[in-house]
């Protein structure tokens, strides 16, 4: 019976560790962004913030809160997983310091304490492994704890540059909407119109790639409309439609490229919105989901 419980505890612990490591990899390094656990956390926090904030102010905290909660969940999965692996061996698999007060504690508490200390790479030395396998497991968990710490830091360093580039694209679209960009690309000098369309296409391409790689950036709401792609993204469709009416073949070609890129970004956004509709409908839903009803190019500037 004891052997069966040992295997059950060990397998359960290994599964939790595997789940945590897989989610870290999927979120930080996989080309398609969020893992299963992190996506569920961000989506849940987003829904709660939308339900509790009529003006969308709480949505601005979803991104940072989601990162913190996800990192804490990863840590919990690894800590509890290793604690379950240590638990069957906590009586005869370790040596205890004579000054350790945990000798009077329950075995689960001892296992959890050992796991936390090891994951934090503190190395108190008050509990040391007696078996060869455990002597390998302890530094292995410490290595995972170090990976978790560096992963959390690298996550922040990855996300915020992507947000800056997205906000720059939104500001560009906002400025064009305020300076009659449609007339420029439709009736203006061909070389200028071409450059405008090509520049917007490049900005949306970067935003598209960043959203695919760092899917969690969807849940970062920008507080100012002129820096929010949710509020300004639809204007790219307006520019593309205006450019398609130009007398210049080069401008019309650039407009087609912009239209294609805006449509691709809409499909990427619809992974979160699930509208199944046209690009116009997706951008409208995107604006409403971020509490910018209408958005630039749909129902007036916000």
């Amino acid at each position: 019976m004891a052997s069966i419980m040992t295997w059950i505890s060990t397998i359960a612990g290994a599964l939790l560790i595997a789940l945590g490591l897989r989610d870290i990899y999927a979120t930080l390094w996989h080309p398609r962004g969020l893992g299963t656990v992190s996506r569920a956390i961000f989506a849940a926090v987003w829904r709660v913030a939308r339900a509790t904030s009529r003006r969308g102010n709480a949505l601005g905290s979803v991104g940072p809160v989601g990162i913190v909660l996800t990192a804490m969940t990863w840590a919990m999965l690894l800590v509890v997983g290793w604690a379950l692996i240590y638990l069957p061996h906590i009586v005869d698999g370790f040596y205890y310091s004579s000054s350790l007060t945990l000798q009077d504690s329950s075995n689960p508490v001892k296992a959890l304490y050992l796991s936390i200390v090891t994951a934090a790479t503190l190395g108190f030395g008050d509990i040391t492994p007696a078996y060869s396998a455990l002597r390998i497991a302890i530094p292995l968990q410490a290595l995972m704890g170090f990976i978790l710490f560096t992963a959390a830091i690298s996550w922040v360093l990855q996300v915020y540059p992507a947000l800056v580039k997205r906000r720059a694209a939104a500001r560009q679209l906002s400025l064009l909407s305020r300076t009659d960009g449609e007339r420029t690309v439709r009736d203006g000098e061909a070389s200028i119109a071409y450059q405008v369309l090509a520049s917007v296409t490049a900005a949306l391409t970067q935003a598209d790639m960043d959203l695919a790689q760092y899917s969690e950036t969807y849940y970062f709401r920008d507080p100012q409309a002129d820096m929010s792609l949710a509020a300004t993204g639809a204007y790219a469709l307006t520019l593309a439609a205006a450019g398609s009416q130009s007398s210049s073949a080069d401008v019309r070609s650039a407009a087609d490229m912009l239209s294609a890129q805006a449509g691709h970004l809409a499909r990427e956004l619809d992974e979160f919105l699930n509208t199944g509709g046209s690009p116009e409908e997706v951008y409208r839903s995107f604006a409403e989901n971020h509490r910018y009803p209408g958005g630039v190019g749909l129902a007036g500037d916000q």
Side-chain angles (χ1 to χ4, degrees):
M1 182 65 179
S3 178
I4 295 177
M5 294 306 297
T6 297
W7 278 106
I8 291 176
S9 182
T10 302
I11 292 173
L15 289 175
L16 288 179
I17 294 169
L19 177 61
L21 293 177
R22 179 189 179 280
D23 206 71
I24 292 173
Y25 165 75
T27 300
L28 300 184
W29 298 299
H30 193 276
R32 292 301 302 175
L34 287 182
T36 303
V37 174
S38 51
R39 182 181 293 272
I41 291 173
F42 274 94
V45 176
W46 183 263
R47 286 194 296 269
V48 170
R50 276 185 55 84
T52 57
S53 176
R54 297 185 61 185
R55 296 178 59 85
N57 295 332
L59 295 178
S61 301
V62 171
V65 170
I67 287 180
V68 172
L69 290 180
T70 301
M72 292 175 61
T73 302
W74 290 341
M76 181 191 70
L77 289 171
L78 296 182
V79 166
V80 174
W82 280 105
L84 288 172
I85 291 176
Y86 299 144
L87 182 58
H89 313 285
I90 208 69
V91 174
D92 58 355
F94 295 92
Y95 299 120
Y96 297 88
S97 169
S98 59
S99 62
L100 186 64
T101 58
L102 279 177
Q103 288 179 345
D104 299 326
S105 302
S106 65
N107 290 343
V109 171
K110 292 178 183 178
L112 189 60
Y113 167 78
L114 174 61
S115 183
I116 293 174
V117 169
T118 304
T121 65
L122 295 176
F124 288 151
D126 46 10
I127 302 179
T128 55
Y131 301 154
S132 297
L134 292 174
R135 289 172 183 166
I136 296 175
I138 292 292
L140 182 60
Q141 185 191 4
L143 178 61
M144 289 185 184
F146 178 74
I147 291 174
L148 175 63
F149 177 73
T150 55
I153 294 176
S154 65
W155 194 9
V156 175
L157 296 179
Q158 289 173 348
V159 165
Y160 282 92
L163 292 174
V164 169
K165 287 179 284 188
R166 187 181 75 183
R167 290 164 183 162
R171 176 63 65 83
Q172 182 180 14
L173 287 168
S174 176
L175 290 173
L176 286 169
S177 72
R178 297 174 187 275
T179 55
D180 201 8
E182 306 103 294
R183 184 176 60 82
T184 299
V185 300
R186 183 181 59 246
D187 304 322
E189 185 177 340
S191 60
I192 296 176
Y194 181 89
Q195 288 298 323
V196 168
L197 294 171
S199 176
V200 174
T201 300
L204 288 189
T205 300
Q206 184 65 64
D208 190 359
M209 295 175 65
D210 285 341
L211 181 61
Q213 179 70 57
Y214 312 115
S215 298
E216 63 274 15
T217 56
Y218 176 87
Y219 299 103
F220 282 75
R221 180 187 186 270
D222 299 298
Q224 298 177 350
D226 66 342
M227 291 195 302
S228 171
L229 195 61
T232 62
Y235 190 67
L237 299 175
T238 302
L239 287 175
S244 66
Q245 301 173 22
S246 172
S247 59
S248 168
D250 289 341
V251 174
R252 292 196 301 272
S253 176
D256 290 341
M257 291 179 62
L258 175 56
S259 180
Q261 178 52 58
H264 191 278
L265 178 57
R267 290 191 294 274
E268 197 71 41
L269 290 168
D270 211 30
E271 293 291 324
F272 302 90
L273 299 167
N274 298 311
T275 68
S278 65
E280 290 80 3
E281 293 171 327
V282 172
Y283 282 110
R284 187 184 302 278
S285 180
F286 184 32
E288 292 174 349
N289 197 237
H290 280 244
R291 293 290 169 83
Y292 286 111
V296 173
L298 287 173
D301 194 348
Q302 299 296 314

